[in-house]
Amino acid sequence: MSTIMKPAPKAADRETAKPPSPPPLEHRLCAEVRTLAEKVNAGGICVGSYDDRWVQQGLTRRRARLLCEPCAVRDGCLRMTVIEEALSIHVHGGSIHSLHGARGGVLGSARTEPVKELVEALKADTAGRKSRA
């Protein structure tokens, strides 16, 4: 069995070669959501619950916090929610005002700022990629 040896790249080629660009932010966030979803689905206290305690009308910040407080994956749930909501707005349009329910112990109205920031980061990443192309 013979092996074919490729010649080593010349020094000039190595200096001018561009490093590979990282994947789009949207792809990295989708991968993070998949990882977080596995953890949340395995240990979330709301998983498998068929009542509407987490999305009922008139839910207060205190009640949202109390609902999610005993959950072991609360922080991951909140991060996953912010990413999902930002991706949804970025990809499908929509409004920041449509966020609702208690996820990660935080109401939709309290998640608007981190979601807005992530939507802006997604827009900037997309625009930056288009300008480099």
Side-chain angles (χ1 to χ4, degrees), residues 9 22 26 35 44 51-54 56 60 65-66 72 75 82 88 96 106 117-118 121 131:
E26 184 177 336
T35 302
D51 60 23
D52 65 351
R53 289 184 288 176
W54 286 270
Q56 63 189 228
T60 64
R65 184 176 36 80
L66 290 173
D75 293 338
V82 168
S88 178
I96 200 80
V106 178
E117 290 172 9
L118 199 48
S131 68

Side-chain angles (χ1 to χ4, degrees), residues 11 20-21 30 39 49 67-68 74-75 80-81 97 101 109 125-126 128:
S21 61
C30 286
K39 293 176 183 173
S49 171
L67 278 170
C68 298
R74 186 178 69 214
D75 293 338
M80 181 182 74
T81 300
H97 303 293
S109 58
D125 183 67
T126 301

